[in-house]
């Protein structure tokens, strides 16, 4: 196993992700920040956080696959969400749940950060995700 996910006793729980990932592979895969665009750069799910989260994860899966990786190889995910507020958490999590089985995402997720920001590079972009994976 290249990636071991765990939450040591005494760490804050419950959360929908593990606090620790141990990568033992020799190849690193970094997927740049993915946004809600399809292969032709068309906007996907404009104004819909749930739909954009689902699309960025689908795009991330394509990037991982291009390197011979899957979400089971992911050591860390980092999300940037515009105009974040705690009331958006249900919509955010619904986007993950929408594609988790389709993309073979482990549950709980690997370590994940959700960072609220004012804006991304285009006004319709609500969320961006970066992934880091380890392969043998």
């Amino acid at each position: 196993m290249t990636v071991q996910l765990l939450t040591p006793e005494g760490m804050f729980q419950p959360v929908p992700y593990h606090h620790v990932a141990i990568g033992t592979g020799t190849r690193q895969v970094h997927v740049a920040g993915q946004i809600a665009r399809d292969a032709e750069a068309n906007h996907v799910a404009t104004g819909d956080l749930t739909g954009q989260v689902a699309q960025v994860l689908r795009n991330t899966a394509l990037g991982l696959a291009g390197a011979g990786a899957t979400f089971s190889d992911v050591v860390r995910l980092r999300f940037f969400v515009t105009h974040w507020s705690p009331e958006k958490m249900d919509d955010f999590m619904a986007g993950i749940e929408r594609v988790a089985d389709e993309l073979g995402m482990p549950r709980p997720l690997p370590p994940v950060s959700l960072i609220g920001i004012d804006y991304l590079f285009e006004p319709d972009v609500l969320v961006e995700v970066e992934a880091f994976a380890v392969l043998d």
Side-chain angles (χ1 to χ4, degrees):
M1 171 182 244
T2 303
V3 177
Q4 177 187 3
L5 302 174
L6 63 125
T7 296
E9 189 175 324
M11 295 189 84
F12 175 71
Q13 294 184 41
V15 290
Y17 57 88
H18 285 285
H19 286 278
V20 178
I22 302 167
T24 58
T26 56
R27 266 184 11 160
Q28 297 181 12
V29 178
H30 297 262
V31 179
Q34 297 299 299
I35 61 171
R37 298 286 189 272
D38 65 16
E40 290 78 39
N42 295 309
H43 299 231
V44 175
T46 300
D48 173 13
L49 179 59
T50 299
Q52 287 200 16
V53 169
Q55 184 64 36
V56 301
L57 289 169
R58 286 183 179 117
N59 292 347
T60 301
L62 290 171
L64 290 167
T70 69
F71 274 101
S72 63
D73 300 305
V74 170
V75 176
R76 177 177 190 54
L77 293 169
R78 182 178 298 128
F79 289 89
F80 299 92
V81 182
T82 60
H83 309 293
W84 178 255
S85 67
E87 296 78 29
K88 294 182 179 184
M89 184 57 87
D90 288 343
D91 292 338
F92 177 82
M93 293 304 297
I96 293 172
E97 288 303 317
R98 182 180 290 179
V99 296
D101 289 337
E102 168 191 334
L103 302 177
M105 297 177 72
R107 290 193 200 124
L109 295 169
V112 62
S113 296
L114 190 158
I115 302 164
I117 58 173
D118 288 336
Y119 57 88
L120 286 157
F121 64 97
E122 291 184 16
D124 70 297
V125 177
L126 303 177
V127 63
E128 176 181 291
V129 66
E130 299 172 344
F132 171 61
V134 177
L135 300 172
D136 283 330

